[in-house]
Amino acid sequence: MRSVRLFRFAPAVSAVLTLLASLADTVMAQPGATHQFVITHVQIVDTRTGKLLEDRDVVIRGDRILSIEPARSVPPEANSISLDGRGKYLIPGLWDCHVHLSFTTNSALPLFVALGITEVRDLGSKFTEIEEWRVRIADGSLTGPHIMRVGPILNGKSFNEYQFVPGSAEATRGAVRLLSFIGVDEIKVHRRMPRDWYYAALDESKKLNIALVGHVPMEVTPEEASNAGQAMLEHTETLFEGKFSANLKDAQVAGAIHDWLATDQPDKLFATFVKNGTWIDPTLAGGLEMVTIFDPAIQPDPLYRYVASSQRSQWAEYQKQHPMSADELRSFRDHMNVLLEVTGRMHQDHVPLVAGTDAAGPRLVAFSLHQELAVLVRAGLSPLEALQAATLNPAIAFHRTSDLGVVEPGKLADLVLLDANPLDHIENTQRINAVIETGKLYRRSDLDHLLSEAEHLAATH
């Protein structure tokens, strides 16, 4: 395959840099927020310890938490807006650590905020589109979460418009340098990347001090990827995509994984992950959801009205052309259930986890993050540990602890006010009373408006 030389990127680089410059000017021209409001008499969930800080007043000024104090017996200052937190629980804003926003379309953006998701990590989309949305969200002209982005995915074969094939190991180094230069937050690799390209990408990423994440390439073992320094492995399934299942039929993989779990190999592999600080993003709910989508006996969830109509139409056509037999459906379900067991075993062995959904195509957006938390509890995590996977753990994994992960003074005011305690039942993360994103307050009526907006956008996109 012919190598792709760096000069072939020149027109794209010029366009991207011009866009970034104009977007940066737009951000800098915006005045900083100076408003202040107080959430009174609220219970704060400490995501580090699981303890409740009871009856507190949380003062928010601009985009930060100014102070947290024992609740006052007198009304707040006259110039402060007051939000009654009695009987309610305050948690950090939630993360979805694996989305593909160009597939979901911008109809997903208000939906994330409406469901308490203030941070998302885009693992492969159209870079300029994501940059435009980031700037419009920052200047307040578009409602949506804060977006981490990786830009084009590096792969040995392109399966969609957001995957790029460098062409050689040396060209892969150039691609990593270019992506770093235009400002991506991480470098993502996919499963078809050749072994020498992969190690070239890792080496160049280390030189540039940028994390490499993604699938485990088929020519590399999970242990090798961890030892080489891959920061995060996306999908529990990626542990079995390469050499493990190379000589197996699809219907045999679940049984082979089940047999593998009965050996000492899982504990050895997961000890390697712990030793190397390798994070795992299981993305289980999306796969389990696909089982139900393929099953003709299960009626479609009404929530699919929030999925972009273009994606629904494409998927309906795909299902017509590729129906799944009963045996294939049974094999798929068995496969997802055994991946649930693997994730539970990783948790038992103290492998650090974050919560992501792989939201794209026909799958639910935003709602799926709450489903992922429930699935993690099914896998053996406590409600606190599942909550940490969507709050504290991403802040640690992505080096954002100075701003996010816990509710305390000085942190960004990205918060969710719940009507029930998520430590009792993780499903209580769905009982949202209000959302604060970068200091902007969305009351329940505002959130309902965002849901309506998302539904309208989904119908037209």
Side-chain angles (χ1 to χ4, degrees), residues 98 100 121 123-124 150-157 162-164 166 172-173 175-176 179 186-203 205 211-218 220 225 229-235 238 241:
H98 195 126
H100 295 276
R121 175 170 165 259
L123 268 295
V150 304
I153 303 165
L154 302 182
N155 203 4
K157 181 179 179 180
Y162 310 123
Q163 296 190 9
F164 176 70
T172 299
R173 290 180 181 274
V176 170
L179 290 172
E186 296 176 327
I187 303 296
K188 183 183 177 183
V189 298
H190 217 278
R191 64 193 296 258
R192 290 295 187 93
M193 175 164 263
R195 184 180 179 90
D196 58 333
W197 300 14
Y198 172 74
Y199 280 101
L202 262 173
D203 183 62
S205 296
L212 186 140
V213 302
H215 292 237
V216 177
M218 297 176 69
V220 178
Q230 184 166 333
M232 185 174 289
L233 308 184
E234 309 296 330
H235 320 297
T238 199
E241 287 180 316

Side-chain angles (χ1 to χ4, degrees), residues 35 61 98 120 175 178 258 320 331 333-334 338-339 351 354 365 398 428 442:
H35 62 279
R61 187 169 189 178
H98 195 126
V120 300
L178 177 61
H258 190 270
K320 288 180 183 178
S331 176
R333 183 178 288 108
D334 291 344
V338 79
L339 294 183
V351 175
V354 297
V365 182
F398 307 133
N428 287 340
Y442 295 87

Side-chain angles (χ1 to χ4, degrees), residues 10 65 74 125 140 174 177 189 231 241 256 267 280 314 319 321 423:
I65 300 172
V74 295
S125 287
R177 289 195 297 270
V189 298
E241 287 180 316
D267 292 333
I280 304 293
Q314 290 177 26
Q319 284 184 298
Q321 298 180 14
L423 303 183

